Amino acid sequence: MLKKKINSKKNSRKNPICFDNSFVQLGEKFYAKLNPTPVEQPEIVKLNEELANNLGIDLEMLDLEDWASIFSGNRILPGAEPLAMVYAGHQFGHFVPQLGDGRAILLGEVIDNSSIRNDIQLKGSGITPFSRQGDGRAALGPVLREYIVSEAMHALGIPTTRSLCAVTTGEPVYRETVLPGAVLTRVASGHVRTGTFQYFALRGEEKAITQLVNYVIDRHYPEVKEAPNTYLKLLEKVMDRHARLVAQWLHVGFIHGVMNTDNMALSGETIDYGPCAFMDTFNRSQVFSSIDHSGRYSYGNQPQIVQWNLARLAETILPLIDKKQESAVEMAKEVIELYSERFKEYWLSGMRQKLGLLTSEPEDENLIQSLLNTMHENEADFTLTFRRLCDAVFDRKMDRNLRNLFKDAAAYDKWSKSWRSRLSRESVSTEERTKLMRKVNPAVIPRNHRVEQALNAAVENLDYSPFEKLVEVLSFPYEELEGQSEFMQPPKPGEHVLETFCGT
Ligand code: AMP
Ligand code: MG
């Protein structure tokens, strides 16, 4: 637990969090207004002071006990207007007509130091009208997992929701076993999802859809207002952000795990860290989620699933794109088809950077695929392979550290010959190339076994030090800091985590 007390100035000149709420103005069709259910004994496990500062939250105005009570939902600050958002969604391909925030409550919005509007949401805050059979709560393990992974994604430079605070509740939650309860304060640039559109489309609520679309445009894509067909342009912009996002996931070996349409945010941020994981050994069909039996959301399927989800979004706004259904479908289809090309561009450009290539040649894609195939066949570690390529560019002798990542070292030698001959056609200095490569090939990622160790220590022994250390190391993913080499290592035999759980 956090011991340090934040100086209490008890400054009454302004509110500690300056809420400025916009979603609530859409009207009661879009949410249910309610307060979080109080918890017994809230205690702060982790407070993200840097993020709080960026959000203009004045931590010094209150002491830690007050913040624990705020970020558990026990105390509602002036300006907050708590609500649970309604949405629907395709879960594993099956449409569920009503989901909604079943265990989350949006406290309100704040404008950050870069003038961006952010949602402040409590996750694990108690039952809502959308809880269905659930208890509205979250267990400590999944809360810490989301904290670790979302903050790691942020440090990697990937659009994501962030974690402001993790609080234990002092109450048990009942899953397969009895677990300590917790609440996560999640910060997102917006929580409207594809599933939010689906909810209203299903009900034929055209006015609500229009309101929602315009809300999303104002908040995330104001530039499309200038376009001849605003709503078509919006679809293209959302498509573009998602194409880029999923390419970025692939570049770091991230597997989301539950890419249901209710987990795809219109803001283009990674959202909903459930059974997500980073892969160690490269395998295109890697799945970790215990509920993903068919591999629908496997590493290599993610780009196609994003396209499928985008098509579901497009369906909901067809009447806005064109009054004539046929032409609306034609136009939307074109955008959705453009996705494959757009994704490929983002993916290729990132992969070129990972290999140290500054120019484009038509054969580059083959070179990249051939490395990935060799890694797959030889069970090479994804993150280490790319990181060590940075060293191999700098000093050819370092090839020896790469070779031994491949079951058949000769397979690497064969590939590296074509790579080196490609590199030799560019006139950049070795130093410069190494520097650039180290900026895109992380040294540390939230390896599953490390995440698991941190969660187990916290949940079983109330020892938060592995969690703290992991969060710290992951905040500089592109650096190889002294004494942290253990965090770069793949799991040893027996340390492998093969399955992850939603924890709901
Ligand atoms: P997720 O898998 O976290 O995206 O959740 C899917 C849906 O289930 C959302 O509507 C959640 O609000 C709801 N849900 C998940 N866990 C719980 C829970 N413990 N209690 C109530 N609703 C939940
Ligand atoms: Mg969700």
Side-chain angles (χ1 to χ4, degrees), residues 87 91 99-101 103 123 186 193 256 258 260-264 271-273:
Y87 50 85
Q91 299 194 307
L99 290 161
D101 290 332
R103 55 161 169 170
K123 190 168 169 183
R186 170 158 86 181
R193 311 128 194 274
H256 182 285
V258 259
N260 295 333
T261 56
D262 54 303
N263 290 338
M264 300 293 291
I271 186 172
D272 235 327
Y273 293 88

Side-chain angles (χ1 to χ4, degrees), residues 234-262:
L234 171 70
L235 185 63
E236 192 202 315
K237 291 278 175 181
V238 175
M239 177 276 281
D240 189 82
R241 275 197 206 174
H242 279 95
R244 178 161 178 261
L245 179 68
V246 74
Q248 288 181 294
W249 290 356
L250 297 202
H251 291 146
V252 296
F254 177 74
I255 303 168
H256 182 285
V258 259
M259 295 166 67
N260 295 333
T261 56
D262 54 303

Side-chain angles (χ1 to χ4, degrees), residues 312-472:
R312 303 290 78 74
L313 174 69
E315 285 164 2
T316 68
I317 57 166
L318 287 176
L320 292 176
I321 291 175
D322 200 295
K323 287 206 176 64
K324 285 196 242 78
Q325 202 193 4
E326 231 171 81
S327 31
V329 170
E330 262 325 292
M331 288 190 255
K333 226 169 126 192
E334 227 171 85
V335 172
I336 302 297
E337 280 167 7
L338 191 64
Y339 165 86
S340 311
E341 202 178 293
R342 202 63 69 83
F343 162 74
K344 183 70 126 346
E345 281 166 21
Y346 283 123
W347 180 79
L348 262 181
S349 117
M351 290 306 290
R352 280 198 179 97
Q353 287 176 22
K354 285 178 82 70
L355 292 188
L357 304 177
L358 280 80
T359 57
S360 317
E361 285 187 13
E363 282 302 299
D364 289 347
E365 191 179 350
N366 285 344
L367 181 72
I368 294 162
Q369 292 295 5
S370 132
L371 172 63
L372 294 175
N373 291 341
T374 311
M375 287 165 69
H376 192 146
E377 282 155 25
N378 288 280
E379 297 171 21
D381 184 86
F382 183 80
T383 307
L384 270 188
T385 300
F386 285 101
R387 187 68 186 186
R388 289 187 184 172
L389 283 177
C390 315
D391 305 333
V393 149
F394 192 69
D395 177 358
R396 201 180 254 264
K397 284 203 288 298
M398 296 307 242
D399 264 356
R400 64 169 177 258
N401 292 342
L402 265 154
R403 300 179 81 242
N404 62 27
L405 295 176
F406 291 72
K407 268 201 323 202
D408 172 14
Y412 168 74
D413 296 337
K414 183 163 174 261
W415 176 82
S416 68
K417 272 205 192 96
S418 31
W419 176 51
R420 288 217 155 82
S421 102
R422 171 68 179 86
L423 291 178
S424 68
R425 293 198 287 280
E426 291 184 356
S427 57
V428 55
S429 73
T430 303
E431 285 75 18
E432 179 64 10
R433 174 172 272 144
T434 309
K435 205 172 90 194
L436 291 173
M437 283 175 78
R438 286 194 175 130
K439 279 191 193 157
V440 292
N441 290 309
V444 280
I445 48 147
R447 289 191 185 266
N448 254 330
H449 67 296
R450 288 279 166 202
V451 173
E452 206 73 3
Q453 283 163 7
L455 267 45
N456 286 343
V459 173
E460 283 161 25
N461 304 323
L462 293 179
D463 174 10
Y464 290 96
S465 50
F467 163 78
E468 287 285 350
K469 180 72 188 167
L470 191 57
V471 169
E472 183 197 317

Side-chain angles (χ1 to χ4, degrees), residues 142-207:
V143 162
L144 297 184
R145 172 185 285 276
E146 174 152 356
Y147 195 106
I148 294 168
V149 185
S150 66
E151 286 303 299
M153 291 288 267
H154 170 73
L156 286 164
I158 300 177
T160 177
T161 62
R162 298 197 59 190
S163 296
L164 177 60
C165 189
V167 176
T168 47
T169 59
E171 293 176 7
V173 294
Y174 301 92
R175 300 293 180 259
E176 270 158 29
T177 53
V178 183
L179 297 164
V183 176
L184 180 79
T185 306
R186 170 158 86 181
V187 177
S189 76
H191 275 96
V192 173
R193 311 128 194 274
T194 293
T196 321
F197 284 80
Q198 288 179 298
Y199 175 86
F200 293 104
L202 173 76
R203 288 159 181 80
E205 300 239 22
E206 278 183 36
K207 206 172 137 223

